[in-house]
Amino acid sequence: MYHRITLLLLIFTLTACGTFSSKKKDDSYKLEHFTPDSPFEQSFEIGPAAACEAGRRALLSQGYLIDESKPDQVRARKFFQPNRETQVQLTFSLSCLAEGDGAAVFANVRQLREELKAGSASTGLSVTGIGSLSLPFGGNNETLVKVGEETVTDAEFYGRFFALMQSFIR
C-alpha cells in the first residue's frame, strides 16, 4: 500500500512539473508564406557582377559601411541611434545570380536592436574566520544589451532600394 501511494505521488509530481514548466512554443515559422512574388528579389537586364556593383554603389551612397564585396555578393551595415538609450543596426546582404541574360538580385536586411541598460557593480571581500562582505562601488555601469533581431520584411523598403540600385546601372 505504501509503495502504491508513493508511486501515485511521484506520478502526480512529475505530471504537475511537466504541465507547469512547459514553455509556449514560438510559432513564428507559421507566418512564412513562401509566395512567388517576393519583395526580396528584383530582376535586372545586366550581369550578376554589374548588378552587385550597382547594389554596392547604392549602399555606399546611403552611408552603409561595406563589410564584404564579391562579384556576386555584397554585405554592408549601417548604425542608427533613434534616442540616447537605443541603437539599431541594419545589416544588408545582397546575392546576385545569373538569370537568363540578366541577373536576379536577392536582398535581405536584418535589424538588430540594442538598448542601454544600467547595472550596478559591487566588490566582495572574504576574510577567513570572519565571513564575507560585498559593497557596491560608485559609477554607473551602462552597457548595450541586445533586445531583438529580425528580418526587415517591408516591401516598400526593398522597393526603394531596388529603385536606387537601378539608378546606378549604366
Side-chain angles (χ1 to χ4, degrees), residues 17-141:
C17 287
T19 302
F20 295 118
S21 67
S22 65
K23 293 182 181 178
K24 184 177 185 255
K25 283 186 173 182
D26 181 10
D27 293 340
S28 296
Y29 68 90
K30 290 182 179 180
L31 301 172
E32 199 62 64
H33 297 291
F34 292 109
T35 59
D37 56 333
S38 169
F40 305 104
E41 176 189 5
Q42 180 74 41
S43 294
F44 294 93
E45 294 179 1
I46 57 174
C52 263
E53 178 60 19
R56 185 178 75 87
R57 289 174 184 264
L59 291 167
L60 284 169
S61 77
Q62 301 303 303
Y64 280 81
L65 174 66
I66 305 299
D67 290 328
E68 178 182 359
S69 182
K70 296 179 181 177
D72 63 346
Q73 202 170 43
V74 177
R75 207 171 278 15
R77 62 191 151 101
K78 186 175 181 179
F79 293 89
F80 302 87
Q81 190 167 355
N83 57 53
R84 182 190 163 332
E85 294 83 24
T86 306
Q87 177 177 293
V88 176
Q89 177 182 335
L90 294 182
T91 304
F92 220 110
S93 298
L94 292 181
S95 294
C96 306
L97 307 175
E99 181 180 75
D101 291 337
V105 177
F106 297 88
N108 178 278
V109 178
R110 283 189 347 248
Q111 176 178 280
L112 171 68
R113 184 176 195 83
E114 296 176 308
E115 291 183 0
L116 197 59
K117 300 288 182 183
S120 61
S122 63
T123 186
L125 174 65
S126 180
V127 178
T128 306
I130 298 175
S132 64
L133 177 65
S134 180
L135 298 170
F137 61 87
N140 192 357
N141 194 15

